[in-house]
């Protein structure tokens, strides 16, 4: 059943494979499967070619959440422990994101091929997403491309992919050289946002050196600005706190303005014009300050912080083991020892007094009983 659902490349092949699946296992009269087939337009991937899912599935959110929190939280935890461990969960996630950002900006994953298109994705995408794209470039080696027809810059290709020693899957790929569009019937890009190996094979056949920006999604760019980093957390860096406060103030005032402007079209138009003017003014000011330093790729302003360099570290010879202390040093050391001994003795006396009083109180209480 999994093969039928995920490896049917068009609606006709799905219907055909589904019927063969029911006949082979004697499930033609199964009501549950019959109901599933009636609702195929809302769950079978080939019927959802007009929806973008970023590679996610219906159960992925809960499964990933469970696997993440199970590392820190167990059912026998108390409520206080839960709050502390939840805070540790957020801290570990933030730390992992920072480490990932550092790796994206300061390390490079080598390209698997000599393709300039692969280098284009290498420069734009994060390491995690580039590895997925790179898998498609490797799979391109198993594809054979054949031109079926072409007219006025619009070409239709048949790409055969060898999945085993004796099995070839065929895919129809169209390429519009005028609009720089490529589409494969496997719909990998439409569903997951990644160009499939079949489309890459056609682009290689057409000797395309750079893909259109429409195929490089900003959501997976290493330079994307994360909006959720403005949310307050106990693990926030001190340098980010002023920005978070400013963000909260702006959001509060913007919400009031938006509620007022949404009452009519005229007020909404006034607010849009004001936003455009303010945005142009802020971009002009930011362009004048291109030389300012930043905390991260999110352009955090650190103008008010001075960069202090550590003093040069000089290795000393150290104090000899048999160094003779001066008379003053010995007197100070002896005085400190006497003070410590005196304090300890006083503490012991107070402790025994307290124990004696408690014992007398307990004896009197038992006598009264």
């Amino acid at each position: 059943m999994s093969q039928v659902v995920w490896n049917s490349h068009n609606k006709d092949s799905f219907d055909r494979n589904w019927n063969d699946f029911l006949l082979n296992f004697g499930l033609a009269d199964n009501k549950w499967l019959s109901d599933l087939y009636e609702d195929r337009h809302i769950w079978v991937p080939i019927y959802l070619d007009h929806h973008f899912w970023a590679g996610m599935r219906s159960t992925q959110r809960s499964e990933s959440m469970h696997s993440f929190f199970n590392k820190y939280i167990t059912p026998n935890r108390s409520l206080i422990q839960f709050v502390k461990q939840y805070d540790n969960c957020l801290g570990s996630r933030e730390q992992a994101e920072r480490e990932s950002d550092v790796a994206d900006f300061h390390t490079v994953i080598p390209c698997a091929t000599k393709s300039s298109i692969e280098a284009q994705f290498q420069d734009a995408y994060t390491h995690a997403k580039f590895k997925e794209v790179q898998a498609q470039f490797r799979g391109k080696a198993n594809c054979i491309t054949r031109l079926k027809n072409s007219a006025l810059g619009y070409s239709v290709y048949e790409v055969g992919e060898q999945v085993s020693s004796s099995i070839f899957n065929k895919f129809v790929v169209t390429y519009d050289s005028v609009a720089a569009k490529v589409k494969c019937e496997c719909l990998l890009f439409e569903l997951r946002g990644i160009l499939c190996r079949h489309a890459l094979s056609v682009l290689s056949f057409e000797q395309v050196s750079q893909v259109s920006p429409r195929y490089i999604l900003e959501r997976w760019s290493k330079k994307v600005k994360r909006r959720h980093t403005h949310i307050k957390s106990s693990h926030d860096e001190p340098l980010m706190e002023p920005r978070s406060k400013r963000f909260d103030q702006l959001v509060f005032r913007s919400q009031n303005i938006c509620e007022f402007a949404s009452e009519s079209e005229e007020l909404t138009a006034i607010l849009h014009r004001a936003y455009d003017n303010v945005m142009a003014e802020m971009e002009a000011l930011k362009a004048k300050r291109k030389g300012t330093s930043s905390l991260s790729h999110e352009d955090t302003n650190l103008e008010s912080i001075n960069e202090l360099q550590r003093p040069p570290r000089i290795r000393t010879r150290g104090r000899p083991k048999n160094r003779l202390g001066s008379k003053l040093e010995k007197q100070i050391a002896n005085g400190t020892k006497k003070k410590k001994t005196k304090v300890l003795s006083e503490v012991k006396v107070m402790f025994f007094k307290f124990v004696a009083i408690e014992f007398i109180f307990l004896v009197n209480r038992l006598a009264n009983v």
Side-chain angles (χ1 to χ4, degrees):
M1 184 176 177
S2 178
Q3 293 291 329
V4 172
V5 172
W6 293 104
N7 292 339
S8 297
H9 305 300
N10 54 62
K11 297 177 183 179
D12 293 336
S13 65
F14 172 78
D15 294 337
R16 185 171 56 254
N17 295 335
W18 183 267
N19 291 329
D20 293 341
F21 159 70
L22 296 180
L23 293 174
N24 292 337
F25 291 93
L27 300 171
D29 298 329
N30 188 286
K31 187 180 184 303
W32 181 69
L33 291 175
S34 299
D35 294 340
L36 278 181
Y37 183 76
E38 291 297 327
D39 296 333
R40 60 190 181 279
H41 60 283
I42 61 174
W43 67 275
V44 178
I46 196 63
Y47 285 88
L48 302 173
D49 56 350
H50 57 287
H51 294 292
F52 174 67
W53 301 104
M56 295 188 296
R57 301 184 184 180
S58 59
T59 59
Q60 179 178 344
R61 181 178 181 182
S62 60
E63 290 173 355
S64 62
M65 189 180 298
H66 292 165
S67 63
F68 175 70
F69 282 109
N70 284 342
K71 300 175 183 176
Y72 302 90
I73 300 172
T74 57
N76 57 353
R77 295 277 186 183
S78 65
L79 185 59
I80 297 177
Q81 290 174 329
F82 168 78
V83 174
K84 292 181 179 180
Q85 289 299 96
Y86 180 79
D87 201 42
N88 293 334
C89 290
L90 297 182
S92 66
R93 177 58 63 91
E94 292 178 10
Q95 181 63 23
E97 286 187 353
R98 293 192 189 99
E99 293 175 358
S100 177
D101 289 342
V102 171
D104 291 337
F105 280 94
H106 298 285
T107 61
V108 177
I109 297 179
C111 291
T113 65
K114 300 295 183 180
S115 173
S116 58
I117 298 178
E118 184 183 3
Q120 187 179 4
F121 284 107
Q122 179 197 45
D123 181 66
Y125 278 179
T126 62
H127 285 0
K129 186 54 59 175
F130 177 64
K131 289 178 181 179
E132 297 181 26
V133 176
Q134 202 171 50
Q136 298 300 320
F137 278 93
R138 292 193 181 98
K140 189 179 68 171
N142 299 323
C143 297
I144 301 175
T145 305
R146 183 173 66 88
L147 178 64
K148 295 182 66 176
N149 55 70
S150 178
L152 301 176
Y154 186 83
S155 305
V156 179
Y157 289 88
E158 183 182 77
V159 179
E161 180 185 5
Q162 185 176 8
V163 295
S164 66
S165 59
S166 59
I167 300 177
F168 280 82
N169 289 334
K170 294 182 179 180
F171 301 88
V172 176
V173 182
T174 58
Y175 176 69
D176 188 349
S177 60
V178 178
K181 289 184 178 181
V182 61
K183 185 174 182 178
C184 178
E185 67 175 350
C186 76
L187 301 175
L188 185 67
F189 179 77
E190 286 75 12
L191 295 175
R192 295 179 52 191
I194 299 175
L195 282 176
C196 63
R197 54 179 65 92
H198 321 115
L200 294 173
S201 180
V202 170
L203 293 176
S204 179
F205 189 88
E206 289 278 350
Q207 297 182 352
V208 177
S209 59
Q210 296 286 314
V211 295
S212 173
R214 70 168 63 92
Y215 298 112
I216 301 178
L217 304 186
E218 185 182 4
R219 64 187 300 128
W220 293 315
S221 171
K222 64 177 68 175
K223 300 177 183 178
V224 71
K225 294 182 179 180
R226 296 194 183 96
R227 299 293 178 88
H228 71 270
T229 54
H230 295 298
I231 300 174
K232 291 181 180 179
S233 171
S234 61
H235 299 277
D236 286 342
E237 297 180 10
L239 297 178
M240 296 294 289
E241 289 181 1
R243 184 177 183 179
S244 298
K245 292 179 181 178
R246 293 193 299 268
F247 181 82
D248 291 341
Q249 294 172 357
L250 291 172
V251 168
F252 178 76
R253 296 198 63 183
S254 299
Q255 184 176 0
N256 296 334
I257 294 173
C258 292
E259 288 180 358
F260 181 76
S262 61
E263 295 178 357
S264 67
E265 292 290 340
E266 293 79 7
L267 294 175
T268 303
I270 293 174
L271 183 58
H272 279 305
R273 289 195 297 270
Y275 276 149
D276 294 338
N277 295 334
V278 171
M279 195 65 187
E281 184 178 353
M282 290 191 299
E283 289 177 350
L285 180 61
K286 190 175 181 179
K288 295 179 181 179
R289 297 182 177 181
K290 283 186 177 180
T292 57
S293 59
S294 59
L295 174 65
S296 66
H297 63 282
E298 298 186 15
D299 300 330
T300 306
N301 191 1
L302 297 179
E303 289 181 341
S304 60
I305 299 176
N306 298 323
E307 290 190 7
L308 300 178
Q309 302 294 333
R310 292 184 177 182
R313 187 175 181 179
I314 302 175
R315 186 175 180 181
T316 59
R317 296 181 63 182
R319 178 179 65 84
K321 295 182 179 180
N322 57 351
R323 187 178 72 88
L324 298 177
S326 63
K327 186 177 181 180
L328 179 61
E329 289 177 346
K330 292 180 179 179
Q331 291 177 353
I332 293 174
N334 293 332
T336 304
K337 289 181 180 179
K338 290 181 181 179
K339 287 182 180 179
K340 289 183 179 180
T341 304
K342 184 178 180 180
V343 170
L344 290 174
S345 61
E346 290 178 356
V347 170
K348 290 180 179 178
V349 171
M350 292 296 294
F351 174 77
F352 286 119
K353 285 182 178 180
F354 175 79
V355 171
I357 293 172
E358 288 290 322
F359 179 75
I360 294 171
F361 175 80
L362 181 61
V363 170
N364 292 333
R365 186 174 180 182
L366 292 173
N368 294 331
V369 172

